[in-house]
Amino acid sequence: MITAAQIRAGRGLLKWTQGVLASRAAVSVVTLNMIESEQVQPRSRTLAAIRTVLEGAGIRFVGDAQEGYGAILRPAPATGSGDASAQKSPARRTAPG
């Protein structure tokens, strides 16, 4: 499943409050707060609901117990508005070396 730190990280990447995530995942803010602060062992269906909401908003959970855990925000899909700037790929920077 996902860790409390990954939930906090996912929320942070999306700039969501606990209230926003709790509402979208249909859990109480108190429950979410207790999960994020590791005060309770959440039910698997509660974690699944939180994960589904965060993944639907573009969060990808990565890692394992050996390497560590994290959360990544996927780039927003390009809009089909025909705007050339929206269709350009972002510039890549390389470290001097």
Side-chain angles (χ1 to χ4, degrees):
M1 282 316 262
I2 57 175
T3 68
Q6 285 177 303
I7 295 169
R8 291 190 308 268
R11 254 191 338 97
L13 289 167
L14 293 169
K15 298 179 182 169
W16 285 2
T17 63
Q18 284 184 334
V20 170
L21 177 55
S23 174
R24 292 182 184 198
V27 299
S28 74
V29 175
V30 171
T31 297
L32 179 60
N33 181 280
M34 291 175 71
I35 291 168
E36 287 189 354
S37 61
E38 300 180 26
Q39 294 177 12
V40 297
Q41 180 64 39
R43 295 179 178 161
S44 59
R45 68 177 169 225
T46 302
L47 280 181
I50 292 168
R51 182 180 193 134
T52 297
V53 168
L54 290 171
E55 287 177 338
I59 298 298
R60 186 172 135 226
F61 297 103
V62 297
D64 58 37
Q66 184 177 356
E67 296 293 321
Y69 296 96
I72 298 169
L73 178 59
R74 295 183 190 143
T79 60
S81 65
D83 180 12
S85 64
Q87 295 174 5
K88 291 181 181 177
S89 62
R92 295 188 185 260
R93 294 185 192 188
T94 57

